[in-house]
């Protein structure tokens, strides 16, 4: 018979701004720093209160295990966050879209009563290239492919088909074992593109796809990593495709969450009660006999097993005793976060819709090269969201918010006209500057990383187990991947206990 070791704790109610804005969900938790939170003794300590850690905790609790979740921030969600716009309105500053084959995040949201609605996709997209705007339909023969010259379109189609064929050769649970893994991991995606996307307009399309998917430049990525990422854009019944990564309709950007995406982790956290401790960054994980002592600011947890549900670069900043195996440490040294920010301008109405536009842009210039209509389902106000990615984000890391705002609005005026110059409000999320993220949306792998160090990605170290979207076999880098990783690590831990 399992004997619970979790101590009886006092409780206090924390109503965070994001929770209040997203429907007044009461999140019962414990602040690290209260006497009752100072020490805990549990079966499993979970480090990280994002979707991965919360999902793992949910499944462990459902199996009758005692759990403590330690989250560094004063909120849950990790790379998923709602940004308040005032008057109870929110927009998403991190992960927000889901689509076909993202079954686990959808099932989680459904179980918590968080509804979805279609990303606005009515009307024409805009291509801004060579100083000119071209509106184009997304339901024609070319779908949502921007209308570049015929030679470029033909070349891009060949490149896309080649990448999809390569992805079919990737075992998603071990891409480093693919027959051509060594060959593909010796080169950057940029090198491969230069040899295959030989028409300049085709290279432009693939470059934009790369920065939009990874928030990284082609020169930063291993070809093997890119092909694996494509393979992972599916599930056990549906092979991944590049098109599924880039599309809105029938793609990864198809749906959004009513109330904002952070409502999912907020409601999930609420089911855990005072098992969750906020404002408790973990500093060390030390083995003590057959157990582990996890030390966070204001809180110490003793546990049989530890789940670290953090991006690899952040997991590496924890002190481990004994030291992690060299292979694991070398892996985390080589998986930096990509560079991304989101800028959302809010208007009284989604005025671009009256012009027959859906708010989606692909551009060859500016700090924002891709945009979406982030308005709510009832269109009670208009919101334009732009991604700032890769080199463009890094160039603005030290810029003041006013300078970033001016640069973003200049791009919005270029794309949508003078009405875009005067939003009623403007919010900016720069993940590079977030202390407990330092980039996004995902850790990226350069040549040589997966084939040399990939096996250490999910391999437990004693009683320490690894979760987070980077460890997922499907939908790595997405909310769905985070949920999948939490479910996987819970099974792993339960089998070991």
């Amino acid at each position: 018979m399992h004997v619970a070791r979790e101590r009886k704790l006092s409780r206090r109610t924390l109503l965070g701004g994001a929770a209040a804005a997203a429907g007044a969900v009461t999140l019962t938790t414990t602040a690290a720093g209260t006497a009752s939170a100072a020490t805990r003794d549990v079966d499993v300590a979970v480090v990280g209160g994002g979707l991965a850690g919360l999902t793992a905790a949910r499944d462990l609790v459902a199996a009758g295990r005692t759990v403590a979740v330690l989250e560094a921030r004063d909120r849950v969600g990790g790379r998923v966050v709602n940004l308040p716009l005032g008057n109870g309105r929110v927009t998403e500053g991190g992960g927000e879209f889901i689509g076909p084959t993202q079954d686990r995040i959808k099932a989680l949201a459904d179980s918590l009563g968080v509804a979805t609605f279609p990303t606005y996709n009515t009307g024409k997209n805009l291509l801004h290239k060579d100083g000119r705007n071209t509106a184009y339909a997304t339901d024609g023969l070319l779908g949502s492919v921007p209308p570049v010259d015929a030679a470029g379109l033909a070349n891009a189609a060949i490149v896309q088909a080649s990448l999809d064929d390569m992805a079919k050769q990737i075992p998603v649970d071990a891409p480093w074992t693919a027959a051509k893994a060594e060959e593909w991991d010796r080169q950057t995606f940029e090198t491969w593109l230069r040899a295959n996307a030989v028409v300049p307009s085709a290279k432009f399309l693939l470059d934009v796809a790369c920065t939009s998917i990874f928030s990284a430049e082609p020169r930063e990525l291993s070809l093997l990593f890119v092909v694996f990422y494509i393979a992972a854009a599916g599930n056990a019944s549906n092979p991944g495709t590049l098109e599924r990564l880039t599309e809105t309709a029938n793609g990864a950007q198809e749906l959004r969450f009513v109330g904002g995406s952070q409502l999912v982790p907020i409601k999930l956290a609420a089911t855990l009660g005072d098992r969750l401790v906020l404002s408790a960054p973990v500093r060390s994980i030390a083995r003590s006999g057959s157990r582990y002592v996890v030390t966070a600011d204001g809180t110490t947890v003793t546990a049989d097993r530890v789940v670290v549900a953090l991006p690899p670069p952040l997991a590496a900043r924890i002190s481990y005793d004994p030291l992690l195996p060299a292979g694991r440490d070398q892996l985390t040294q080589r998986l930096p976060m990509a560079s991304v920010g989101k800028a959302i301008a809010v208007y009284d109405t989604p005025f671009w819709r009256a012009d027959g536009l859906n708010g989606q842009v692909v551009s060859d210039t500016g700090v924002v090269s891709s945009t979406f209509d982030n308005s709510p389902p009832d269109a009670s106000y208009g919101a334009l969201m732009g991604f700032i990615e890769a080199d463009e984000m890094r160039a603005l890391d030290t810029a003041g918010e006013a300078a970033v705002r001016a640069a973003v609005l200049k791009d919005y005026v270029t794309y949508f006209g003078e009405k875009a110059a005067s939003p009623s409000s403007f919010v900016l999320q720069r993940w590079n500057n977030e202390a407990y993220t330092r980039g996004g949306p995902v850790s990226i792998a350069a040549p040589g990383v997966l084939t040399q160090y990939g096996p250490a990605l999910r391999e437990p170290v004693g009683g320490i187990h690894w979760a987070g979207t980077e460890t997922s076999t499907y939908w790595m880098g997405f909310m769905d991947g985070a949920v999948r990783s939490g479910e996987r690590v819970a099974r792993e831990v339960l089998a070991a206990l």
Side-chain angles (χ1 to χ4, degrees):
M1 175 177 162
H2 171 67
V3 179
R5 286 193 291 264
E6 189 167 22
R7 300 182 179 183
K8 196 72 175 176
L9 299 170
S10 63
R11 301 161 75 100
R12 77 179 182 93
T13 298
L14 172 69
L15 190 60
V25 176
T26 301
L27 178 58
T28 303
T29 182
T30 306
T34 62
S36 61
T39 59
R40 298 187 181 205
D41 192 308
V42 296
D43 295 325
V44 186
V46 178
V47 181
L51 282 168
L54 295 174
T55 299
R58 173 204 64 180
D59 289 358
L60 291 165
V61 169
R65 298 297 179 172
T66 55
V67 174
V69 181
L70 302 172
E71 166 55 43
R73 293 182 171 94
D74 62 358
R75 63 167 181 84
V76 294
R79 284 166 272 183
V80 179
V81 62
N82 286 352
L83 303 178
L85 298 175
N87 300 318
R89 304 177 305 180
V90 298
T91 191
E92 293 96 338
E96 68 175 278
F97 302 110
I98 67 169
T101 75
Q102 295 189 6
D103 316 308
R104 302 318 303 152
I105 180 65
K106 185 61 166 61
L108 174 60
D110 288 348
S111 73
L112 296 168
V114 182
T116 58
F117 68 99
T119 301
Y120 190 78
N121 200 39
T122 301
K124 294 184 177 181
N125 284 23
L126 272 182
L127 169 65
H128 181 80
K129 192 172 187 297
D130 301 325
R132 185 177 61 191
N133 286 337
T134 303
Y136 61 98
T138 61
D139 55 359
L141 292 176
L142 299 177
S144 63
V145 178
V148 297
D149 58 275
L153 290 172
N155 188 195
I158 292 171
V159 170
Q160 178 173 319
S162 296
L163 289 169
D164 286 347
D165 286 343
M166 294 160 70
K168 292 175 184 176
Q169 304 173 46
I170 297 290
V172 292
D173 59 340
W176 44 88
T177 66
K180 294 186 177 180
E182 294 283 349
E183 174 188 340
W184 294 343
D185 207 30
R186 281 198 298 265
Q187 58 188 300
T188 65
F189 188 40
E190 172 72 16
T191 300
W192 187 87
L193 281 179
R194 288 188 178 184
N196 291 273
V198 293
V199 179
S201 56
K203 179 65 161 55
F204 158 71
L205 293 177
L206 272 298
D207 284 347
V208 169
C210 178
T211 54
S212 297
I213 293 168
F214 299 100
S215 295
E217 305 292 340
R219 68 175 186 274
E220 300 178 84
L221 306 172
S222 157
L223 175 61
L224 177 63
F225 177 72
V226 171
V227 174
F228 158 67
Y229 213 82
I230 295 170
N235 58 20
S237 304
N238 299 274
T241 65
L242 179 58
E243 184 177 31
R244 192 175 293 124
L245 282 168
T246 59
E247 290 293 308
T248 299
N250 300 313
Q253 287 69 234
E254 184 173 64
L255 299 172
R256 296 173 58 204
F257 289 110
V258 177
S261 52
Q262 196 191 358
L263 194 54
V264 178
I266 286 171
K267 285 195 168 188
L268 179 55
T271 70
L272 297 174
D274 53 14
R275 298 178 183 90
L276 170 66
V277 185
L278 299 178
S279 301
V282 169
R283 306 301 181 183
S284 66
I285 299 173
R287 186 151 196 159
S288 177
S290 63
R291 309 191 74 209
Y292 289 86
V293 178
V294 181
T295 304
D297 289 2
T299 303
T300 300
V301 177
T302 303
D304 294 321
R305 295 272 160 170
V306 181
V307 171
V308 178
L310 302 176
L314 296 185
R317 297 181 186 185
I318 297 172
S319 175
Y320 298 87
D321 182 15
L323 291 175
L324 295 178
R328 169 69 194 184
D329 192 71
Q330 292 284 319
L331 173 73
T332 59
Q333 291 181 45
R334 288 165 169 79
L335 287 178
M337 300 299 286
S339 299
V340 68
K342 292 178 77 173
I344 301 96
V346 179
Y347 305 90
D348 291 340
T349 64
F351 61 85
W352 49 92
R353 297 183 184 181
D355 297 329
L357 301 175
N358 62 17
Q360 296 175 43
V361 170
V362 173
S363 177
D364 67 350
T365 189
V367 301
V368 170
S369 58
S370 63
T371 68
F372 282 86
D373 182 329
N374 255 40
S375 308
D378 63 1
S380 55
Y381 61 89
L384 282 174
M385 182 274 287
F387 286 106
I388 312 173
E389 299 176 296
D391 285 351
E392 298 297 342
M393 186 68 262
R394 287 186 283 264
L396 293 171
D397 280 342
T398 59
E401 184 164 334
V404 178
R405 182 183 190 275
V408 169
L409 293 182
K410 180 181 177 182
D411 289 343
Y412 289 178
V413 168
T414 296
Y415 307 146
F416 301 106
E418 287 299 325
K419 289 181 181 178
S422 303
S424 58
S425 61
F426 182 90
V427 290
L428 177 66
Q429 179 74 24
R430 290 193 272 189
W431 289 101
N432 292 16
N433 295 342
E434 281 277 320
Y436 298 113
T437 309
R438 302 316 306 263
V442 67
S443 295
I444 56 175
V449 175
L450 288 181
T451 49
Q452 290 298 309
Y453 306 103
L457 190 60
R458 286 183 298 275
E459 183 66 28
V461 176
I464 302 174
H465 303 256
W466 313 105
T469 190
E470 283 83 3
T471 69
S472 187
T473 54
Y474 286 109
W475 288 109
M476 174 188 179
F478 291 77
M479 291 184 287
D480 189 74
V483 174
R484 288 175 187 271
S485 79
E487 294 173 339
R488 184 265 307 162
V489 83
R491 293 191 298 268
E492 189 179 284
V493 170
L494 289 170
L497 284 173

